[in-house]
Structure formats: C-alpha cells, structure tokens
Amino acid sequence: MKPANIQVYPNPQLLAEAAVKHFIEQAHLNISVNDRFNVALSGGSTPKAMHQLLADKYSDLVDWSKVNFYWGDERSVPPEHPDSNYGMAKETLLDHIDIEPRQVHRIEAALPPEEAAYEYIRTLRDYIGSETPNLDLIFLGMGDDGHTASLFPHTTALQETENWVVANQVEKLDTWRITLTAPFINQATQITFLVAGENKALALKQILEGPHQPELYPSQLIQPVSGQLLWLLDQAAASRLESPE
Ligand code: 6PG
C-alpha cells in the first residue's frame, strides 16, 4: 500500500476549512484541465461542516456551472427522508449554490436496492463514460467500525470486483444500502477521506498502521489504481496514530 498522504488539523472547524480549500483546489484544477468537475460526496455527519462553509463563505470561488455531483453511497430511503445522504447535501450545500438539477445525480434509493444500484451504474455510464470511468474527486467518510461509503465489515459488497455500484445488505443495521464499490472508487483521480472525532481513532490506527484485513476494516480496500489518496483528519481522530504526519 502506497504511504498515504495524511493531514491532521487541530479541530473540526479547521478540518472543515481544509476540506473546503481542497474542494476548491480540485474544482479549479479539473475545470482548468477538463472544463468539468465530477465530484462524489459522502454521507453521514462529518461532511456537513464542510458543505455549510463552502456554501456560506466560499461558493463564489467555484464555477458551479462546470460541476456535477454524485454520491458514494445512499441509504435505502427516499430523498426527503432524514437519513438521506442526498437530502443532507441538499440541505447543507446544494440549496445554497447556483447549480441546476441536471448537474445533481443522486442515487434513486427509493427504488428496490438492486434496481437502484443498476440505475446508478447507468447514470455513471451516461455522464462519465462507460470505459474505466474515473470521477475527479470522491469524498469518503469512515465509520468507527472502519467502514467507508456503505462498504461495511463482513458484507458481500467487499468481494465485488466488477460492478461499479451494488446493493449491500448490512445486517448489523438491519438495512440495505446502495454503494460505489472499491474497484470503482479506486479508479478515481483523487480520493479524499474526511474523518473527525475520538471515536474513529482506534479504527483509523488499525486501517493506517495495522495489518491488511479489509474484511474487518473495509477502508483498507481504498487504494487508488493511479490516482491520489488523501486523509484529512482532526487531531482527535488521529490521536492514536504513531506519526500522524
Ligand atoms: C453513510 C456514509 C458513511 C459515513 C460514515 C461516517 O452513508 O453513512 O457514507 O460511510 O461516511 O459512516 O459517518 P459520520 O460522518 O456520521 O461519522
């Protein structure tokens, strides 16, 4: 595994600032080179601070007309459900920037899970090509059990080697999720984890400094084929790392 690029920030606020700066840099780079920026957002709670900061203070630094949004995973709920990752992004970012609905590609998670996964593969093929599509930037979070996107320990999605998107039954949550797979994520040009909080510190130490055991710590599956991997951490999440920087 290539040594990861790890950046540690003193607190969640400075971490959010760093994540916004990273988003803007990536947007400028990809828009200047390719005249477009295809970015996948992650769910959960950690990205909210970055989304709100980007929307409230820095939105005029991005040419939103060139940006297309995707998601790394989604819960099996409709978009208006409080658990929806799309709904969270809509509330904290999308409703506050100048972007058209045709530039926002949510996972149709109200469909039966397998159908939602199939439809999202079509969406990705339609918008970013059907060869080896590589999103410009994929944001990922990490759970305290070491999962990322909806790649949870001991679930079937961890074994997927072909499909870009799968429906994944997560027994411990008694639910289905729709998730990008590791082979697809690893095609991205830039993969960036955003992890905050003391409760993530033990899993993060295992993932970055422990043996390779992705069944237990699925975030270890994330190893870019030719792109870059960046971990943006706050001090609390990094507190158990030997040499965090
Ligand atoms: C989801 C996410 C998931 C998330 C982690 C961390 O659908 O929940 O995509 O992978 O990033 O669970 O969540 P927190 O940011 O809430 O800790």
Side-chain angles (χ1 to χ4, degrees):
M1 188 168 172
K2 281 194 291 191
N5 179 3
I6 300 169
Q7 296 176 12
V8 181
Y9 295 87
N11 58 55
Q13 294 69 27
L14 290 173
L15 175 65
E17 290 272 357
V20 167
K21 181 171 176 285
H22 180 62
F23 182 104
I24 293 168
E25 284 170 352
Q26 288 291 312
H28 289 177
L29 170 66
N30 285 281
I31 291 168
S32 64
V33 172
N34 302 314
D35 198 35
R36 62 113 220 295
F37 182 41
N38 290 321
V39 52
L41 301 176
S42 72
S45 56
T46 305
K48 290 179 181 177
M50 171 185 76
H51 292 177
Q52 288 159 342
L53 196 59
L54 180 55
D56 297 349
K57 283 181 66 179
Y58 297 100
S59 63
D60 57 350
L61 295 182
V62 177
D63 177 358
W64 296 109
S65 70
K66 307 285 188 186
V67 181
N68 276 265
F69 285 104
Y70 302 84
W71 275 262
D73 72 322
E74 188 56 275
R75 291 82 181 275
S76 293
V77 294
E80 62 278 0
H81 190 283
D83 289 350
S84 168
N85 288 335
Y86 159 78
M88 180 274 280
K90 183 176 187 300
E91 183 186 329
T92 57
L93 177 59
L94 303 178
D95 282 350
H96 311 285
I97 57 177
D98 185 15
I99 199 145
E100 300 295 327
R102 59 180 166 73
Q103 296 172 257
V104 178
H105 313 285
R106 67 179 180 85
I107 297 170
E108 302 275 346
L111 293 172
E114 303 283 350
E115 195 178 329
Y118 176 76
E119 284 303 319
Y120 209 53
I121 292 170
R122 280 169 46 133
T123 296
L124 291 167
R125 287 185 189 281
D126 287 349
Y127 286 92
I128 57 174
S130 59
E131 295 314 311
T132 48
N134 55 339
L135 287 171
D136 298 318
L137 168 61
I138 298 180
F139 276 108
L140 293 173
M142 190 202 77
D144 58 10
D145 61 354
H147 82 263
T148 189
S150 284
L151 302 170
F152 284 83
H154 309 301
T155 58
T156 54
L158 305 188
Q159 313 309 326
E160 182 59 46
T161 58
E162 296 299 322
N163 286 308
W164 299 347
V165 187
V166 294
N168 194 28
Q169 187 171 16
V170 186
E171 285 181 18
K172 81 171 189 180
L173 300 178
D174 188 24
T175 188
W176 284 82
R177 294 281 190 94
I178 298 94
T179 186
L180 298 183
T181 60
F184 179 85
I185 293 169
N186 288 336
Q187 292 288 345
T189 304
Q190 174 70 45
I191 306 168
T192 300
F193 278 92
L194 188 58
V195 185
E198 175 72 38
N199 64 317
K200 309 291 176 75
L202 274 176
L204 195 58
K205 180 176 184 60
Q206 284 296 331
I207 287 156
L208 293 177
E209 298 176 350
H212 188 65
Q213 38 189 7
E215 270 295 308
L216 274 176
Y217 297 101
S219 294
Q220 289 185 323
L221 291 172
I222 305 309
Q223 299 181 33
V225 172
S226 58
Q228 298 299 312
L229 175 60
L230 171 64
W231 292 81
L232 296 179
L233 310 173
D234 73 350
Q235 181 50 47
S239 56
R240 303 252 186 176
L241 297 181
E242 290 304 318
S243 53
E245 291 177 74

